[in-house]
Amino acid sequence: MTDLLPHHDGSPLHVSDDAPALGDVVRVRLRVPAGYGPLAAVRTRSNPDHEPEWTEAVRIGAADGWDWWEAPVTVRNPRHGYRFLLQHADGRIEWLNQTGIHRLETLDAEDFALVAAPPAPAWLHESVMYQVFPDRFARSAQADEHPVPDWAIPATWDTPVDPLMPGRAQQFYGGDLTGVIERLDHLVELGVNLLYLTPVFPAASNHRYDASSFLSVDPLLGGDEAYARLIEEAHGRGIKVIGDLTSNHSGDRHEWFRAAYGRPGAPDEAFYYFTNADNTEYECWLGALSLPKFDWSSEQLRERFIVAEDSVVARWLKAPYGADGWRVDVANMTGRLGAVDLNAEVRQLLRETVRGINPDAILLGESTNDATSDLQGDGWDGAMTYPSFTRPVWAWLSEPNGEPYLTAEGEERTEPWFFGMEVGGIPRYTARDFVDSMTRFTGGIPWRVRLGNMQPLDTHDTARFATNAAPGTVPVAVGLSMTLPGLPVVFAGDEFGLTGVDGETSRTPIPWGSEGRPEVAERIALYRDLVRLRREHPVLGTGGLRWLHVGDDAVVFVRESAQESVLVLAARGDADVELAPGALPGAAAADALFGDAMLAVAADGGAVLTADGPVFAAWALPGVAAPGAVAP
């Protein structure tokens, strides 16, 4: 049984304003289990301008076995951190920050944080994202009219994906945007409402991250008209659409690069890091000469890419296209090279332009490892990042099969791919490790930014989760992605049960027509049901998170708001979890939402959850009772 502990998070139950201005006073609340202590005092400790500032909390009442304390915090910095200090009557001191309760003084970097900047649009937290890789999603009849480009290795829709170079980058299936339009009703049936397209610009590869222009849509995909029509058709179905833009590099066929390559003194040479006198050698992304790196010290690059009325960023957000935002590729490396670090300047310019054109548009950055330093609320609304959810859930719920596969270089391996990490395959985590890892990599990110972080099980850059999933764990993993704080992501094909051993073989063409097969129909139904769970319960988008049980084999948590709560059980094996008295007020009114598990309320007010595993289960509960609304 897990003991009840004091709790605070960034949700509306505990914070009066998640988008304050500098100088505003925000009321923050702490919940303390009745009988915890007794406490002589509760205080907040902030660190404005790197000098500590304290405020006294007052006990404002009690409800459902919890004492509630409230304190004022004045927002003095754009990212204003604070933590709670609990002084016990016997002299003991405890600190509460985003990583939990601590006996020793804690780090400023892991404080709760208020962000003095406009928040992401509310629709982001109501969304379930569906990621599409255009060459492999759907091919319309119009695609047959497109000539095969000079770089391409043509493939029929049922040709196996080639894992080796050059096929890895040049195998061409011919999926197009009209094909996406023709399959939008599939997205509607799944219930997803945010479509993320990987790049649609002309390029010399199937992935199109090596753009030859940012000012037109690849004719092989149907051109500008098809893109505008896709967005219009998606909007008509209640689906937002965001694009994918490379701010770190262009392709080596890009018009800006060609204008400067081998031409010293050319106006566009300042856009790139040329390293020799004749402009034939240059910095590039991880040694890939096809991806020359942008030099963001160039004011002209900033103007043409971001700032100008007709910039790259602006063009596709405006009519006749009206995209709903951007996911920015390699955001973590953008503007960074050795001693140079212009990343903050670039992401802030990007946000200024995006919000200036459409305050209801979003901006997500790719940062696939520890993204904490870049996710402080000054640019990105969230990130495509893996250590705060994706890697931990793989490590807990995977069971590698040891089957050999070929790397891009043709080397045979048996240890499964794990996000490019040289760790000998997929680590083996307990459920406790899973939670500890997520806590470690979210502990320094402001709550409201965490809510915008993408939570994929896999993407176009990774192996597919199902490839190494332990038997019966796919529903557990999908359920967690839909119920933990963050933006759920479905990579197209996951709902068909597709597998892939790495980021190339995961880009399998969607097997349209297989929906009637029992195993495919069952998987599609699973995704449909869990997407519906997410979308029918707003608390899963913006509610608080409180862990009720963390063991080696199972976790139990509750997402909470004043209006509703959702209780979740996730276990890799059989579950038999006893919750402490008072842990779950309202458990007697629980209504099962998903999964085959039992919830029994004990006479002492505790509860017991049991199930045969693996299991993912969820219940609806009443909202949290508190002594009055949090005062603004």
Side-chain angles (χ1 to χ4, degrees):
M1 182 186 301
T2 302
D3 292 335
L4 291 184
L5 295 172
H7 179 74
H8 175 83
D9 56 45
S11 70
L13 273 176
H14 302 94
V15 175
S16 65
D17 186 356
D18 74 343
L22 288 175
D24 284 355
V25 177
V26 175
R27 312 296 299 187
V28 296
R29 284 186 169 184
L30 176 71
R31 295 158 66 182
V32 180
Y36 189 90
L39 298 177
V42 173
R43 302 181 180 92
T44 71
R45 185 268 194 191
S46 302
N47 199 34
D49 303 327
H50 285 259
E51 182 64 25
E53 179 174 276
W54 301 83
T55 65
E56 295 289 333
V58 297
R59 184 180 178 278
I60 58 171
D64 283 345
W66 294 85
D67 294 331
W68 289 74
W69 296 72
E70 184 175 283
V73 173
T74 302
V75 180
R76 304 194 188 280
N77 296 124
R79 177 207 178 274
H80 186 99
Y82 63 96
R83 71 192 73 151
F84 286 92
L85 179 141
L86 287 72
Q87 182 179 339
H88 289 251
D90 63 6
R92 287 182 298 118
I93 294 294
E94 291 181 306
W95 303 86
L96 181 70
N97 67 4
Q98 288 202 132
T99 64
I101 193 96
H102 305 273
R103 183 175 58 85
L104 301 180
E105 186 176 358
T106 56
L107 298 172
D108 291 346
E110 296 174 349
D111 281 350
F112 303 105
L114 300 165
V115 177
W123 66 259
L124 176 61
H125 308 310
E126 301 164 359
S127 298
V128 176
M129 177 184 281
Y130 189 81
Q131 182 189 3
V132 163
F133 189 83
D135 184 57
R136 312 289 165 86
F137 185 68
R139 181 185 172 104
S140 73
Q142 295 178 18
D144 294 335
E145 303 171 8
H146 302 147
V148 176
D150 60 353
W151 55 264
I153 302 172
T156 60
W157 204 250
D158 58 356
T159 301
V161 172
D162 185 351
L164 304 179
M165 294 297 288
R168 190 177 183 90
Q170 297 176 4
Q171 193 175 28
F172 178 70
Y173 287 85
D176 63 352
L177 298 182
T178 299
V180 179
I181 293 170
E182 293 172 351
R183 297 292 181 177
L184 283 175
D185 287 343
H186 172 72
L187 277 65
V188 173
E189 291 167 4
L190 275 183
V192 297
N193 58 347
L194 172 56
L195 172 59
Y196 155 43
L197 294 166
T198 59
V200 297
F201 303 117
S205 69
N206 52 39
H207 54 71
R208 295 185 170 89
Y209 283 100
D210 56 331
S212 58
S213 174
F214 295 121
L215 300 178
S216 63
V217 171
D218 195 335
L220 297 171
L221 293 173
D224 295 0
E225 186 276 335
Y227 190 55
R229 187 160 51 92
L230 168 60
I231 295 172
E232 180 181 12
E233 292 279 352
H235 285 173
R237 291 167 171 82
I239 299 171
K240 305 280 190 182
V241 181
I242 64 170
D244 198 338
L245 189 60
T246 55
S247 60
N248 180 72
H249 54 261
S250 70
D252 63 347
R253 298 189 182 193
H254 196 281
E255 52 209 9
W256 298 343
F257 185 76
R258 299 319 306 173
Y261 181 81
R263 298 175 181 174
D268 294 348
E269 74 172 347
F271 290 16
Y272 300 92
Y273 288 98
F274 289 105
T275 57
N276 67 344
D278 57 2
N279 283 11
T280 58
E281 296 177 6
Y282 48 90
E283 297 287 347
C284 54
W285 179 73
L286 300 183
L289 293 175
S290 61
L291 303 174
K293 184 175 177 67
F294 285 132
D295 180 353
W296 282 101
S297 67
S298 168
E299 291 298 326
Q300 189 62 23
L301 173 63
R302 297 184 182 203
E303 184 75 12
R304 290 171 66 179
F305 197 102
I306 303 176
V307 177
E309 289 289 323
D310 60 349
S311 71
V312 171
V313 170
R315 172 179 172 81
W316 305 104
L317 300 179
K318 296 179 177 180
Y321 310 104
D324 299 290
W326 291 106
R327 176 266 192 189
V328 175
D329 186 59
V330 196
N332 57 311
M333 297 182 73
T334 294
R336 290 178 169 135
L337 183 66
V340 175
D341 190 346
L342 303 172
N343 189 274
E345 293 182 22
V346 177
R347 65 181 183 252
Q348 289 163 18
L349 275 178
L350 284 165
R351 184 174 69 175
E352 182 179 345
T353 293
V354 168
R355 291 286 204 273
I357 294 168
N358 180 7
D360 212 30
I362 63 171
L363 185 64
L364 305 176
E366 181 193 31
S367 187
T368 56
N369 293 288
D370 180 5
T372 302
S373 64
D374 293 347
L375 293 180
Q376 295 303 315
D378 65 345
W380 314 116
D381 294 316
M384 175 186 275
T385 185
Y386 298 135
S388 58
F389 173 76
T390 312
R391 294 204 299 242
V393 82
W394 277 46
W396 179 33
L397 298 178
S398 292
E399 189 172 280
N401 54 35
E403 293 182 5
Y405 67 97
L406 294 177
T407 67
E409 296 76 25
E411 176 188 354
E412 184 174 280
R413 289 192 174 184
T414 55
E415 73 274 11
W417 180 94
F418 189 68
F419 302 89
M421 300 180 71
E422 296 296 331
V423 294
I426 302 174
R428 300 299 299 269
Y429 280 8
T430 64
R432 190 180 305 277
D433 295 332
F434 164 70
V435 172
D436 287 348
S437 186
M438 285 194 302
T439 301
R440 174 171 293 177
F441 284 100
T442 58
I445 298 172
W447 173 262
R448 86 172 203 203
V449 180
R450 178 184 180 180
L451 294 182
N453 278 353
M454 294 167 61
Q455 272 184 181
L457 293 180
D458 41 53
T459 71
H460 68 295
D461 280 334
T462 77
R464 291 203 186 249
F465 171 78
T467 308
N468 296 293
T473 61
V474 168
V476 183
V478 180
L480 288 168
S481 75
M482 297 292 167
T483 55
L484 284 167
L487 173 63
V489 180
V490 179
F491 177 34
D494 281 352
E495 76 274 29
F496 286 82
L498 294 184
T499 59
V501 298
D502 63 9
E504 178 55 37
T505 56
S506 73
R507 302 174 186 176
T508 309
I510 304 300
W512 300 111
S514 68
E515 296 93 325
R517 288 164 43 194
E519 66 275 16
V520 176
E522 181 180 357
R523 186 64 58 85
I524 290 174
L526 169 71
Y527 272 85
R528 184 180 61 241
D529 291 347
L530 286 170
V531 169
R532 182 169 59 246
L533 171 68
R534 170 71 180 217
R535 293 195 58 197
E536 287 183 350
H537 295 277
V539 70
L540 297 176
T542 57
L545 169 68
R546 187 163 58 91
W547 294 100
L548 303 180
H549 171 82
V550 178
D552 287 339
D553 301 314
V555 298
V556 179
F557 61 89
V558 62
R559 302 293 308 279
E560 297 177 313
S561 72
Q563 293 73 39
E564 64 169 343
S565 300
V566 171
L567 173 69
V568 170
L569 163 68
R572 177 169 170 156
D574 295 345
D576 186 354
V577 176
E578 182 179 358
L579 301 181
L584 205 59
D591 182 20
L593 298 173
F594 186 91
D596 188 10
M598 294 293 295
L599 169 60
V601 180
D604 62 2
V608 177
L609 293 84
T610 55
D612 295 333
V615 62
F616 174 84
W619 295 263
L621 299 174
V624 174
V630 184

